Amino acid sequence: MNPTNPRHTEPLIFELSAPGRSTYSLPPVEVPERPLAELIPEDLLRKEPAALPEVPEVDVIRHFTRLSQLNHGVDTGFYPLGSCTMKYNPKVNEALARLPGFTGLHPMKPPELTQGALELMWRLERYLCEIGGLARVTLQPAAGAHGEFTGLQIIRAYHLDRGEDRRKVIVPDSAHGTNPATAAMCGCFVVSVPSDDRGGVDIAALEKLLDDNVAAFMLTNPNTLGLFDENIDKIARLVHDAGGLLYYDGANANAIMGWARPADTGFDVVHFNLHKTFSTPHGGGGPGSGPVGVTETLVPYLPVPMVERDEATGRYYLDWNRPKSIGKLMAFYGNFGVLVRAYAYIRAHGPDGLKQVSEDAVLSANYLMRKLQPYYDLPYDRACMHEFVLSARRQKQKTGVRALDIAKALLDYGVHPPTIYFPLIVEEALMVEPTETETLETLDAFVGAMVEIARQAEGNPDALKGAPYTTPVGRLDEARAARQPDVRWRPGKEGA
Ligand SMILES: *Cc1c(COP(=O)(O)O)cnc(C)c1O
């Protein structure tokens, strides 16, 4: 019963079942009973009763509570997964998203009956405009990648409107994989620009790639190395002089809120990941939200509908009359519940609070980076923004311990591993993003774990290569686990 074996895992609910252990008792019926055969056609009736588990309520609760704890989550432990901004999700956001006025709202209701929801979307758009320095924002895209798709469609529409079928999209070699994937999906071709030795865009190389076929340059700033590109004004000038537009991958906006506005630094199109920067839950496949904002010139191409306010009456309505729009991208108006959470987050912090969020996120990352620098290689040794990238090159050369082994070993310390092997330009990369929501004690505990693992990599490398030891499962064949998951219940099947 007591899982002294660390590999103990939760049995299937069917394995907890015993005949007759029903979880309910109902009062006697007060109406005449009728056999099912009178109500349902014979051929649709089961021949045998369904093989449902019979388990007492208390065991059902324990079973599902234990299951909910098998995976690491931001509510169970530190989650420094670089590029993902796994910050704490304030529970007040949940309370507000659960208000019956929101949860009971049907998306087919007409604007007369949905003024509150429309007002929330209208206001959220204004806040995101303010944060990004943008003219207008669409809330429709369901995630960052979907935002990129939206943004590039807008950029394509803009060029086509001017009679230019530009198809070249430039991305840095440090870019997130969604950037080139998006460009390809939009019928463009992708050209990669190398990074310079300070981790920024190699300006000379960029200049060579710019020509009259360039549709856009997609840039993350700070980039995936956690470094702010010091040449952003020069980059913007070069791209614009070539007639291209500058796309801002806002996945790293947690580093700059209230300090720099992407549009002020020359970006034309910006996406935000509400599930990263604005604390709405993520992981497990969503739902997310990737609003896209644009500068004045690109407003006509935004998706339909846009939420508008009639200034005379103060009423909100949906504007479908946008002849140059790229169209609709999403069922209804986006992941509305996520929008409520992000709105609550922005309201709870206010402008000064958001600024502080970024300041603290950057401080935490620099603290960790300097504490860990003696134990791991730091390929780009300069002040970082909200995340930084270490390399396990040293460990690999000395004893064959890889970034993967270090990541797995962290699980035994109750820490979710950092992002590994990304960005691609850093060998044995470990990308750490602590976020602003962790205490100094948590950061120090992480340093302790990383230092201990670095020691073990020298003294007992083989043990590290077998980690983790305390999790319900050890090292899986990840490809096979994803492609051939064994989740079936078979009568008599033993516990996992
Ligand atoms: C997360 C991320 C994306 C993609 O965003 P999703 O919301 O996961 O689709 C794009 N670029 C970078 C740099 C990211 O970190």
Side-chain angles (χ1 to χ4, degrees):
M1 175 169 188
N2 182 17
T4 44
N5 169 12
R7 292 282 189 239
H8 170 91
T9 182
E10 186 62 18
L12 299 176
I13 189 132
F14 289 98
E15 291 158 349
L16 298 173
S17 171
R21 287 205 189 145
S22 57
T23 60
Y24 62 87
S25 61
L26 298 175
V29 276
E30 292 172 346
V31 293
E33 275 191 77
R34 287 171 65 191
L36 268 182
E38 276 180 26
L39 303 164
I40 295 174
E42 181 71 34
D43 58 331
L44 293 182
L45 281 177
R46 287 179 178 281
K47 305 286 172 281
E48 307 274 331
L52 297 176
E54 295 181 71
V55 186
E57 180 171 327
V58 62
D59 283 352
V60 172
I61 293 298
R62 286 175 186 157
H63 172 71
F64 285 105
T65 304
R66 283 191 298 253
L67 275 186
S68 75
Q69 293 166 343
L70 285 184
N71 260 337
H72 192 94
V74 84
D75 285 352
T76 47
F78 186 39
Y79 210 132
L81 188 67
S83 213
C84 293
T85 311
M86 303 300 292
K87 63 171 76 178
Y88 172 68
N89 316 131
K91 297 300 168 261
V92 64
N93 297 355
E94 298 304 315
L96 295 173
R98 277 167 180 67
L99 287 176
F102 291 135
T103 53
L105 199 57
H106 194 283
M108 299 275 262
K109 273 190 183 167
E112 304 83 84
L113 300 177
T114 56
Q115 285 293 305
L118 292 175
E119 178 173 354
L120 183 140
M121 292 167 76
W122 190 88
R123 290 187 183 281
L124 177 59
E125 181 189 339
R126 272 41 222 172
Y127 293 148
L128 295 176
C129 284
E130 171 80 27
I131 292 164
L134 301 155
R136 293 297 302 268
V137 169
T138 172
L139 304 173
Q140 271 183 53
H146 198 202
E148 292 170 33
F149 180 79
T150 308
L152 271 202
Q153 293 291 2
I154 290 170
I155 289 172
R156 287 275 294 147
Y158 161 81
H159 289 307
L160 286 172
D161 205 18
R162 294 157 50 94
E164 295 186 354
D165 186 10
R166 291 173 174 245
R167 284 175 190 262
K168 185 195 275 191
V169 173
I170 305 173
V171 300
D173 57 3
S174 59
H176 193 270
T178 51
N179 294 182
T182 299
M185 276 185 75
C186 291
C188 297
F189 67 95
V190 183
V191 184
S192 174
V193 63
S195 303
D196 64 15
D197 54 8
R198 285 181 60 76
V201 173
D202 182 330
I203 298 286
L206 176 65
E207 279 180 303
K208 290 204 192 88
L209 297 175
L210 290 168
D211 56 26
D212 59 9
N213 194 22
V214 170
F217 182 32
M218 299 179 84
L219 189 61
T220 314
N221 197 26
N223 64 19
T224 60
L225 296 164
L227 302 173
F228 192 86
D229 202 307
E230 304 145 317
N231 295 317
I232 184 57
D233 51 347
K234 197 184 280 176
I235 293 169
R237 210 171 332 110
L238 287 171
V239 172
H240 288 149
D241 285 351
L245 296 180
L246 204 52
Y247 183 93
Y248 186 84
D249 178 331
N252 290 343
N254 211 46
I256 55 135
M257 277 189 295
W259 295 92
R261 307 198 306 171
D264 294 347
T265 61
F267 287 93
D268 305 285
V269 183
V270 173
H271 87 242
F272 296 101
N273 306 60
L274 297 188
H275 45 286
K276 295 181 182 175
T277 314
F278 298 98
S279 85
T280 73
H282 83 294
S289 181
V292 171
V294 296
T295 51
E296 203 63 52
T297 328
L298 298 173
V299 170
Y301 309 100
L302 282 168
V304 282
M306 294 294 287
V307 181
E308 304 290 351
R309 183 165 73 175
D310 180 339
E311 290 306 328
T313 61
R315 309 287 291 171
Y316 297 89
Y317 65 97
L318 294 168
D319 179 17
W320 292 85
N321 183 19
R322 304 176 52 80
K324 292 195 172 184
S325 166
I326 59 164
K328 200 159 187 323
L329 283 142
M330 180 74 188
F332 303 111
Y333 317 105
N335 284 325
F336 181 73
V338 178
L339 305 181
V340 178
R341 290 170 176 86
Y343 179 81
Y345 182 77
I346 293 172
R347 289 301 302 250
H349 284 80
D352 294 340
L354 292 181
K355 207 170 165 187
Q356 174 109 39
V357 162
S358 289
E359 189 174 351
D360 292 350
V362 171
L363 179 63
S364 298
N366 279 282
Y367 177 77
L368 285 186
M369 181 177 77
R370 293 305 175 203
K371 285 272 183 183
L372 292 174
Q373 188 173 8
Y375 305 94
Y376 296 88
D377 281 8
L378 180 65
Y380 298 93
D381 185 0
R382 52 184 262 217
C384 67
M385 297 295 287
H386 68 313
E387 64 190 356
F388 59 96
V389 181
L390 298 172
S391 167
R393 194 159 50 190
R394 185 189 314 180
Q395 285 76 13
K396 189 179 163 193
Q397 274 164 9
K398 274 197 194 158
T399 58
V401 166
R402 308 176 58 218
L404 178 75
D405 303 315
I406 294 164
K408 296 292 184 193
L410 275 169
L411 292 168
D412 287 330
Y413 292 86
V415 172
H416 192 285
T419 297
I420 53 173
Y421 301 106
F422 176 73
L424 305 176
I425 55 174
V426 173
E427 188 190 343
E428 296 297 321
L430 289 151
M431 182 197 222
V432 182
E433 179 180 3
T435 84
E436 72 285 359
T437 56
E438 302 297 337
T439 61
L440 187 58
E441 286 78 3
T442 299
L443 299 183
D444 284 337
F446 176 67
V447 172
M450 288 291 283
V451 170
E452 183 57 34
I453 290 169
R455 289 213 181 96
Q456 240 194 316
E458 305 243 329
N460 193 1
D462 288 341
L464 271 189
K465 291 172 193 169
Y469 295 101
T470 59
T471 49
V473 292
R475 289 206 193 185
L476 295 171
D477 175 341
E478 287 171 11
R480 201 170 142 234
R483 288 188 190 135
Q484 300 167 6
D486 179 9
V487 293
R488 279 165 307 169
W489 173 66
R490 289 179 292 272
K493 183 179 155 187
E494 291 304 309

